[in-house]
């Protein structure tokens, strides 16, 4: 089984991030801004835009300061909703500029229970933007897709970075039963289990459930996004793992 690791390099993460920022902004321009995003609670497209733009500004500040941001951004979301797309692009481009210069092996601050090195940031921001770009496009009636290799990396990042944070922050308890996750399009696999504190990669144990399907569908389902009923094979303990959701 593949252990938790990043499979893309910085440039590929940033290329995906750049493209997804632009595609998200285009969805905002197409509208309508009150389009519901029901898998994100009561959010509408405008709320989702404010969220992602805020994440970009928060992450930029964290990278530059090397510590938790303690002040609101200098350019909060505009009151005029028609300006949201430009505001999103502006914040995204500042984030990209900072991430291009970041020392990937150097020390940094971030809120995730993994090694505090710069390489976490390009990966996390690319994954955040890919799912939310999918959200925005789906909300306005498009049929969005996520690159299979990026999606497979997103599955790895979900178990290695995002879910451990959720466990610590929200007190979520991951199932102890080992789960086998297989992507039928990229040929990747993970065998993971919860230990009460985080999620760990395990080997040479019998899984108690399996999640199998295309990488995009698996990633979206792990984040509690809607996928076709017949897109995934879900057996045993996989049902409990899929209830954990994400940030």
């Amino acid at each position: 089984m593949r252990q938790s690791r990043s499979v893309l390099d910085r440039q590929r993460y940033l290329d995906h991030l750049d493209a997804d920022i632009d595609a998200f902004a285009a969805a905002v321009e197409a509208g309508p801004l009150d389009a519901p995003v029901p898998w994100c609670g009561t959010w509408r497209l405008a709320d989702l835009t404010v969220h992602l733009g805020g994440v970009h500004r928060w992450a930029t500040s964290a990278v530059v300061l090397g510590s938790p941001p303690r002040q609101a951004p200098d350019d909060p979301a505009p009151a005029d909703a028609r300006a949201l797309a430009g505001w999103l692009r502006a914040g995204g481009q500042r984030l990209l500029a900072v991430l291009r210069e970041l020392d990937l092996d150097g020390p940094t601050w971030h809120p995730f229970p993994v090694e505090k090195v710069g390489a976490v940031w390009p990966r996390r921001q690319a994954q955040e933007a890919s799912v939310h770009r999918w959200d925005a496009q789906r909300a306005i009636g498009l049929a969005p897709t996520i690159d299979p290799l990026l999606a497979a990396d997103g599955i790895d990042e979900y178990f290695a970075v995002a879910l451990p944070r959720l466990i610590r922050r929200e007190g979520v308890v991951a199932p102890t039963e080992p789960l086998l996750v297989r992507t039928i399009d990229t040929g990747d696999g993970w065998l993971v289990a919860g230990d009460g504190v985080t999620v760990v990669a395990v080997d040479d144990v019998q899984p108690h459930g399996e999640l199998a399907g295309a990488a995009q569908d698996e990633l979206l389902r792990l984040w509690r996004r809607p996928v076709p009923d017949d897109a995934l094979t879900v057996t045993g303990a996989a049902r409990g793992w899929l209830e954990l959701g994400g940030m």
Side-chain angles (χ1 to χ4, degrees):
M1 288 301 142
R2 198 177 80 192
Q3 301 298 307
S4 297
R5 62 182 176 87
S6 172
V7 298
L8 305 182
D9 61 24
R10 178 191 350 223
Q11 189 57 53
R12 291 183 70 186
Y13 283 130
L14 298 189
D15 286 346
H16 281 296
L17 177 57
D18 194 7
D20 283 334
I21 290 167
D22 188 62
F24 190 120
V28 173
E29 290 168 337
L33 286 170
D34 64 351
V37 192
W39 46 92
C40 293
T42 61
W43 279 5
R44 296 185 178 272
L45 179 57
D47 303 306
L48 183 68
T49 308
V50 172
H51 167 74
L52 187 61
V55 167
H56 290 163
R57 287 158 173 81
W58 171 84
T60 298
S61 180
V63 171
V64 170
L65 295 175
S67 62
R70 300 188 182 280
Q71 295 181 337
D74 295 332
D75 62 334
D80 184 352
R82 293 172 297 180
L84 275 176
W87 176 79
L88 179 73
R89 284 194 174 100
Q93 290 305 310
R94 287 196 294 273
L95 174 62
L96 284 161
V98 166
L99 294 180
R100 289 187 186 104
E101 301 301 321
L102 177 64
D103 180 357
L104 299 182
D105 297 318
T108 190
W109 175 87
H110 60 68
F112 308 101
V114 294
E115 187 178 7
K116 302 294 196 247
V117 294
V120 168
W121 283 113
R123 187 187 199 194
R124 174 86 286 274
Q125 293 306 303
Q127 293 298 341
E128 177 94 3
S130 72
V131 173
H132 285 324
R133 183 269 303 164
W134 184 94
D135 289 336
Q137 292 181 321
R138 178 69 178 265
I140 65 169
L142 301 180
T145 60
I146 299 175
D147 175 78
L149 292 181
L150 182 67
D153 179 71
I155 296 167
D156 190 279
E157 200 254 3
Y158 174 82
F159 287 113
V161 179
L163 184 54
R165 185 192 182 200
L166 182 71
I167 290 170
R168 292 194 181 188
R169 188 182 68 179
E170 305 294 341
V172 171
V173 179
T176 57
E177 296 88 354
L179 170 68
L180 174 63
V181 181
R182 294 188 301 108
T183 57
I184 61 175
D185 50 348
T186 67
D188 290 304
W190 299 263
L191 187 58
V192 297
D195 67 357
V197 178
T198 187
V199 179
V200 294
V202 293
D203 291 299
D204 301 323
V205 298
Q206 185 68 29
H208 291 192
E210 181 178 25
L211 176 65
Q216 169 184 296
D217 293 325
E218 289 188 348
L219 177 66
L220 292 171
R221 184 63 183 84
L222 286 167
W223 286 106
R224 284 187 170 178
R225 268 54 178 183
V227 300
D229 291 339
D230 60 351
L232 299 174
T233 297
V234 180
T235 64
R239 297 179 181 89
W241 283 90
L242 290 174
E243 290 304 312
L244 298 177
M247 294 178 291

